[in-house]
Amino acid sequence: PAAAVASMEMIEVSPQGLSVLAADPGIAAAVVETPAADPDLQRWRVQDLSAGGYGLLVDRGAAEAVLLQGLVALRNHETGGWIVGSVVRKQPNRARGVLVGIEVLGYRPIPVELIPEGPSNVPAVFLPGIDSGGRDDALLLPIGDFRAGNRYALRVGGRRYGVRLNRIIGKGADWISARFEIDWKT
């Protein structure tokens, strides 16, 4: 019911972090009455917040499909953009389901394709950092496609960049997040 949702807290997500806001009753009613257009999307309840992520309350059935150290994409309802995170904890909660801990990897992910010196392209996600100098930027890619020093061409916004992977900053069962150097651009 809308009254129950209206009393819940909403989160605001930005590159500066997460903050808790009182829910707007108009938004709460829209959340209750509007079903998700995509059947693959699920709504999870925010349980708690931290500086680098948050805890989400998930029903047991949905939690089984969530892999520890797996990737999740979260929708920022304010901007319509996506947030990429990694599941760092799954803790059963007897009364309510499973508490899933999410570490935020990037607030403005950009899907890209890395063109290797070899035969096939590699799907990846560019994770811009919050510093304008690019020191915190990273690439998220399948773990089997990472080797320190791998060189790729990357096409973004009509420009082409030569990038070299260098340092691992995070990884899961099937993904890796790495820093990179730009060798050239055209």
Side-chain angles (χ1 to χ4, degrees):
V5 175
S7 67
M8 292 180 0
E9 295 174 327
M10 303 291 280
I11 60 167
E12 179 178 285
V13 182
S14 71
Q16 288 75 33
L18 303 164
S19 57
V20 178
L21 304 171
D24 178 3
I27 293 173
V31 167
V32 170
E33 295 168 8
T34 307
D38 186 342
D40 292 333
L41 295 179
Q42 300 174 12
R43 293 189 188 273
W44 296 348
R45 184 166 181 232
V46 175
Q47 178 73 19
D48 56 48
L49 301 171
S50 71
Y54 40 96
L56 303 173
L57 196 56
V58 180
D59 66 57
R60 291 189 197 317
E64 288 179 19
V66 176
L67 300 175
L68 194 58
Q69 297 301 317
L71 294 175
V72 293
L74 307 169
R75 174 65 58 102
N76 180 335
H77 289 284
E78 185 174 305
T79 65
W82 290 95
I83 302 163
V84 174
S86 173
V87 178
V88 294
R89 182 179 315 116
K90 287 174 63 173
Q91 181 178 10
N93 181 321
R94 281 186 262 178
R96 300 185 190 146
V98 177
L99 183 63
V100 176
I102 305 289
E103 175 187 14
V104 174
L105 299 176
Y107 289 99
R108 298 173 316 236
I110 301 168
V112 296
E113 193 169 52
L114 301 176
I115 305 162
E117 295 172 344
S120 61
N121 294 352
V122 175
V125 177
F126 171 61
L127 301 172
I130 57 173
D131 102 5
S132 61
R135 289 186 14 213
D136 295 330
D137 295 350
L139 286 168
L140 183 66
L141 63 153
I143 198 165
D145 292 308
F146 176 83
R147 284 172 202 39
N150 276 20
R151 295 177 188 274
Y152 295 96
L154 171 66
R155 191 182 319 257
V156 176
R159 299 199 101 169
R160 204 170 138 110
Y161 299 87
V163 297
R164 181 176 23 92
L165 302 178
N166 57 22
R167 188 167 53 96
I168 297 171
I169 58 171
K171 73 181 197 178
D174 60 352
W175 61 273
I176 199 156
S177 178
R179 298 274 191 244
F180 60 93
E181 298 290 328
I182 298 176
D183 290 336
W184 52 265
K185 69 179 176 178
T186 60

